[in-house]
Amino acid sequence: MKGGLRKSMTWLHTWSSLIVIWLLFAIFLTGTTAFFKDEITHWMTPEQHASVPSEHTLDVAVERLQSVAPFAQSWSINLPDDRSRTLGLSWLGEGEEQQRRRGPREELDAGTGQPIEGRETAGGDFLYRFHFELWAIPRDIARTIVGAATMLMFIAIISGIIMHRKIFADFFTFRPGKKTASWVDAHVVGSVLALPFHIMITFSGLILLAGTLLFWQGGGHGGGGGGQGGQGGQGRAPMEQPGGPQAGAERGGAERGGAERGGAERGGAERGGAEHGGQMAMREGAVNGQNPEGRGKQGGHADMAALNEVASTGRQGRQPMADGAGERGQQRVGRGEAAGNGASGDGIRAGRGARAEGEGPRGERGQRRQAVQREAVELDLRAMLAVAEQRWQQPSYNISISKPMTEDAQVTLQPAHRTKLNNGKWGVPSMTFDASGNVVEETATPEADSVLGALRGMFKILHEAKFADIFVRWMFFFSGVLGTVMVGSGALLWSIKRERQQAGNKGFELVSALNLAGVAGLFVALATYFWANRLLPVEMAERRDAEIYCFFAAWGLCLLHAAVLRQKQGWLIQLSIAAAMFLLLPVLDFMTSPVGFIGAVGGGDWMRLSFDLVAWFTAAGLTTAVLHQRKKAKQPQRGKRKDSKPAKPQLKEGQA
Amino acid sequence: MIVLTILVLVLGFVHFAVSTRSFYKVVFGKGFPSKAARNWLHLVGYGYLALGLWLCYQFRQDHVAILIWVGLLHLAAVLVAMMLTYAPALFKQSWRFGCLGRLGQKWLA
């Protein structure tokens, strides 16, 4: 570290990033995919592909719940939205205590109402978790490793800015076909053009994992959840309803393969515990007309009166629909009527449908109640949804109904995601209606307790893009791709610059092998993960883990190949395999999904089609790299200098 | 609205690119920008970026507009870099037909 400031910064930039660069590449790549983890999970669950949301989806949900859980304490409906195409139902049976992820739940085709038996898959959740918890490493240790790597990344960014002498002059410069200069340009374009994003994502990641680096703090389990949500006892966002069979931790809560499917070892159960208490308390409080947080409550008389007026107008406007055939506009909910439906008990999934009325003691109770005909209660859910949408400027995602099918029913609505960065660490607003459709409570989004809490919440929301609509999410994804390019090109730049002087040197060869496996090998592993999802038998035991094993097996093979055969066109082989696998991924998709290409376009399944398009873009990028490698292979090889003493690299000031 | 914003931001970055020695030649063939020309081009370039921010605010009327603006800045910068590398003729055309920076003739070559 001798010499001027820039030279010191060059040294710091090079070595602070190099020692963790392969881990950083994996974190950036999987973290970038995690912006679309729900969409990835959708792609990886072909059984969901036939589900096409329609205007009747709400009716389908209510009819189903009337059928399978007429006497439930509460119902929860997760409606399809721009990141989900299925209908999620859950309910709390009569006399049962609320338990996270244990209650009956169903995932339904949003068009037909047929239950979906999705395959067991780790989905996008694995990639999301891997980017901050790695895999098969104790959670705290893994987060500490990722936290340390994030710190080094932040150091590399700051030192990279200082060391770059002509940061503005080189702002738009990219010179292809100039060997080392091209790699420098790629590194600079990837880093400088998206510098605000890189600083934001690294700094916010550091904040989220800060607890892991502050060893002297009490309590352990630092980091406050990385990408997870909250600290113990405070609960996650109310939008993480336990009744959400749909994948996606931040919205459904019922992650595929969570505690029920062996995810407990990976921390699913731990995460659930303390957080859930707060969450449920809040949800139940909201349903029962309380304000469990004691803050953020809105709803003065005038405000509530105005909302009720809107609700009333909505109901009047929709009355003709209710009078029409099939009661499509307005759900008529009555105990006697629904109990009759429930008695049929058809379509209830094994293991979850034990609530079928007419069986056992509960069934007897049900029959007794059936005899007591109550006055039918009408819930005009559409009018309530319209009021909430007008209020929040976004559609509702979750509908919770307490004491359904009684005149004491209360309906609580919540939107899918936060819309602002200052919404506090967690939480979305909610609005509770009585059975007549009057607003009885409106809860604003909880705010942070302190300035520090608000800042942390803002960084968390930013990092996880929880406020983001689909457009902003794509922008984050694009910036994440630039970050991945930045880290990948930085890794390659180190070895390219030293190839002439240090080829044959053990350290150089180690870095070269890790570069090959860490960059090209990771793409092969990622493609293998998606292929395994479609090719492993659907009924296979421990299928979720098998997909993950395939990912690491492919990565391990690439590492082995890089260690032994990297000199023999290692890059060409691994990049070609990855390119071919990504290129054929959409073909595999349409061959193994029950819905073909035309059906997907017709059904507007852009979540799936976007995945396929991104796979093709990835294949195009990898193919470009393959062509570059072929061109390089045709050029005369530079002689190795094994016998000579490795020369000390002479980096120019201001270069990476 | 988004496409228009991206276009405005791209034109803003075109001004910044023209203000550098290496890309000044792409447009004018020779020479380099004087200090006055650089200041003029930066001023107009910032104007375009500010207009882009205003358009983002029209699209999304809260603080997320700033975030969208920053995200679109990334995209626009990459587009300009790719244009300079692979389509310099398009870069010249965008300078000729979309950039108000041309009005500062007395400072430019």
Side-chain angles (χ1 to χ4, degrees):
Chain A
M1 280 183 61
K2 291 177 182 176
L5 176 69
R6 284 213 169 88
K7 202 164 183 180
S8 298
M9 288 298 128
T10 302
W11 182 91
L12 185 63
H13 180 76
T14 304
W15 295 104
S16 66
S17 54
L18 182 72
I19 54 175
V20 288
I21 202 151
W22 307 283
L23 178 60
L24 287 174
F25 185 79
I27 291 170
F28 254 93
L29 184 62
T30 53
T32 300
T33 62
F35 286 129
F36 286 114
K37 72 184 174 73
D38 288 2
E39 289 77 358
I40 291 173
T41 303
H42 173 70
W43 188 93
M44 293 176 79
T45 316
E47 294 79 10
Q48 293 181 355
H49 292 177
S51 175
V52 181
S54 71
E55 58 182 3
H56 302 313
T57 296
L58 182 60
D59 309 310
V60 165
V62 175
E63 282 167 14
R64 179 69 185 169
L65 284 167
Q66 286 176 352
S67 167
V68 298
F71 299 110
Q73 290 181 51
S74 63
W75 292 344
S76 179
I77 303 169
N78 285 345
L79 294 169
D81 62 3
D82 54 354
R83 301 193 66 203
S84 163
R85 291 174 61 81
T86 56
L87 187 58
L89 305 181
S90 66
W91 58 90
L92 183 63
E94 189 184 29
E96 289 182 357
E97 288 185 13
Q98 185 78 52
Q99 292 182 61
R100 183 182 175 89
R101 297 174 181 166
R102 294 286 169 86
R105 60 172 58 94
E106 286 187 344
E107 187 170 27
L108 301 185
D109 185 309
T112 65
Q114 291 299 310
I116 295 172
E117 288 285 0
R119 66 186 59 194
E120 193 186 333
T121 177
D125 201 47
F126 162 66
L127 300 172
Y128 163 69
R129 295 214 172 283
F130 180 80
H131 102 277
F132 67 96
E133 284 186 345
L134 308 178
W135 188 74
I137 298 176
R139 188 179 168 211
D140 290 344
I141 295 173
R143 288 188 176 204
T144 304
I145 293 170
V146 174
T150 310
M151 174 64 86
L152 290 169
M153 174 79 194
F154 195 60
I155 291 170
I157 289 177
I158 301 299
S159 56
I161 295 169
I162 297 170
M163 67 178 258
H164 205 300
R165 195 168 36 187
K166 297 189 291 182
I167 196 164
F168 294 110
D170 292 343
F171 202 74
F172 302 107
T173 305
F174 179 62
R175 295 160 290 180
K178 300 264 186 190
K179 295 181 183 171
T180 308
S182 302
W183 284 106
V184 172
D185 290 345
H187 187 60
V188 171
V189 165
S191 50
V192 176
L193 296 188
L195 192 59
F197 172 82
H198 300 327
I199 292 174
M200 179 278 289
I201 208 77
T202 308
F203 186 67
S204 57
L206 198 55
I207 295 281
L208 291 176
L209 292 172
T212 62
L213 304 177
L214 302 174
F215 300 110
W216 58 85
Q217 72 158 4
H221 306 288
Q228 260 313 298
Q231 289 160 347
Q234 276 204 306
R236 280 199 283 187
M239 59 185 167
E240 298 171 36
Q241 290 297 326
Q246 292 150 353
E250 79 269 26
R251 297 184 309 153
E255 303 157 45
R256 303 182 98 41
E260 293 167 9
R261 296 186 182 177
E265 315 89 84
R266 304 268 307 127
E270 304 163 39
R271 279 188 292 275
E275 294 162 4
H276 184 51
Q279 174 188 333
M280 288 314 301
M282 180 159 183
R283 178 170 169 269
E284 290 302 310
V287 167
N288 294 326
Q290 303 160 359
N291 185 5
E293 288 299 305
R295 64 186 179 198
K297 186 171 176 178
Q298 290 183 353
H301 284 303
D303 198 22
M304 209 67 83
L307 281 170
N308 284 333
E309 192 176 334
V310 174
S312 170
T313 309
R315 280 197 301 278
Q316 286 169 10
R318 288 165 194 280
Q319 196 62 40
M321 284 176 71
D323 295 335
E327 298 182 9
R328 283 297 180 193
Q330 203 168 31
Q331 291 302 324
R332 188 174 181 80
V333 183
R335 283 238 176 220
E337 174 187 282
N341 292 337
S344 67
D346 57 348
I348 301 173
R349 290 166 67 175
R352 294 180 176 179
R355 321 258 175 267
E357 308 304 332
E359 292 176 15
R362 295 177 56 73
E364 288 169 18
R365 275 206 306 275
Q367 285 173 353
R368 278 202 303 274
R369 291 195 175 200
Q370 192 175 348
V372 184
Q373 293 290 328
R374 293 190 181 188
E375 186 184 350
V377 179
E378 292 179 351
L379 293 179
D380 191 351
L381 294 177
R382 288 190 196 285
M384 297 177 196
L385 289 170
V387 171
E389 183 169 353
Q390 188 184 30
R391 182 71 166 186
W392 298 322
Q393 297 300 307
Q394 65 166 317
S396 298
Y397 169 69
N398 180 266
I399 304 172
S400 296
I401 305 175
S402 68
K403 300 177 185 172
M405 301 170 65
T406 70
E407 56 191 10
D408 297 329
Q410 287 200 330
V411 179
T412 301
L413 305 181
Q414 290 176 321
H417 46 73
R418 284 165 269 203
T419 54
K420 294 181 178 175
L421 300 176
N422 58 354
N423 276 167
K425 190 173 66 177
W426 51 276
V428 286
S430 68
M431 197 179 278
T432 302
F433 299 82
D434 62 14
S436 310
N438 297 313
V439 179
V440 293
E441 185 189 8
E442 189 184 3
T443 308
T445 307
E447 292 176 359
D449 296 327
S450 62
V451 175
L452 284 178
L455 275 174
R456 188 187 183 282
M458 188 191 74
F459 280 121
K460 179 175 162 54
I461 294 171
L462 263 177
H463 189 93
E464 298 173 3
K466 283 195 167 178
F467 67 97
D469 56 19
I470 199 72
F471 173 72
V472 177
R473 204 166 281 278
W474 274 110
M475 286 200 315
F476 269 59
F477 181 81
F478 175 74
S479 301
V481 170
L482 287 178
T484 309
V485 169
M486 169 184 71
V487 178
S489 59
L492 298 181
L493 194 54
W494 188 92
S495 50
I496 287 168
K497 277 188 171 178
R498 290 159 180 81
E499 193 175 10
R500 291 188 70 178
Q501 297 98 332
Q502 297 190 17
N505 180 308
K506 281 183 184 172
F508 176 83
E509 296 301 326
L510 176 68
V511 171
S512 298
L514 289 172
N515 274 351
L516 175 55
V519 177
L522 185 57
F523 278 105
V524 175
L526 198 57
T528 306
Y529 178 62
F530 296 135
W531 276 75
N533 170 260
R534 293 303 177 88
L535 297 183
L536 290 175
V538 174
E539 302 302 329
M540 183 180 185
E542 305 292 331
R543 193 179 184 286
R544 177 183 185 276
D545 290 337
E547 288 177 357
I548 298 173
Y549 293 146
C550 288
F551 174 88
F552 286 105
W555 206 1
L557 283 174
C558 287
L559 183 61
L560 194 65
H561 174 254
V564 181
L565 297 170
R566 69 182 172 282
Q567 306 288 5
K568 298 183 176 177
Q569 300 186 334
W571 279 96
L572 192 63
I573 292 169
Q574 290 197 19
L575 287 172
S576 300
I577 292 170
M581 290 179 84
F582 273 105
L583 185 67
L584 295 174
L585 208 51
V587 179
L588 177 75
D589 176 27
F590 294 116
M591 284 175 67
T592 54
S593 169
V595 180
F597 175 74
I598 298 188
V601 173
D605 192 354
W606 291 105
M607 290 166 68
R608 179 181 165 207
L609 293 169
S610 300
F611 181 101
D612 290 329
L613 275 174
V614 170
W616 269 338
F617 275 119
T618 309
L622 291 167
T623 306
T624 308
V626 168
L627 295 174
H628 173 76
Q629 283 298 317
R630 282 192 61 182
K631 192 176 167 186
K632 189 181 168 188
K634 285 179 182 173
Q635 291 171 350
Q637 291 272 330
R638 285 172 180 161
K640 283 187 182 177
R641 298 169 55 180
K642 280 186 179 174
D643 300 332
S644 61
K645 194 176 176 182
K648 200 172 179 181
Q650 297 294 321
L651 290 183
K652 282 183 182 176
E653 202 174 293
Q655 286 190 340
Chain B
M1 182 68 87
I2 291 296
V3 175
L4 178 66
T5 309
I6 293 172
L7 187 66
V8 166
L9 295 178
V10 164
L11 293 174
F13 278 128
V14 166
H15 286 86
F16 286 100
V18 172
S19 75
T20 63
R21 279 174 175 255
S22 43
F23 301 122
Y24 187 84
K25 289 176 186 167
V26 174
V27 174
F28 297 104
K30 59 180 180 180
F32 53 87
S34 63
K35 192 174 178 184
R38 274 207 306 273
N39 289 342
W40 164 250
L41 290 169
H42 285 178
L43 187 69
V44 180
Y46 282 123
Y48 274 86
L49 301 192
L51 177 63
L53 178 60
W54 182 78
L55 288 171
C56 286
Y57 188 74
Q58 300 307 307
F59 175 67
R60 176 82 185 251
Q61 294 176 344
D62 56 25
H63 51 250
V64 177
I66 298 172
L67 206 74
I68 294 175
W69 180 66
V70 174
L72 292 180
L73 284 179
H74 296 166
L75 180 61
V78 172
L79 286 174
V80 171
M82 294 299 109
M83 206 156 66
L84 281 163
T85 306
Y86 297 107
L90 182 62
F91 180 82
K92 284 176 77 172
Q93 294 297 322
S94 60
W95 167 258
R96 186 173 299 165
F97 296 111
C99 292
L100 293 175
R102 291 181 66 229
L103 299 176
Q105 287 294 343
K106 65 177 178 179
W107 298 299
L108 301 169

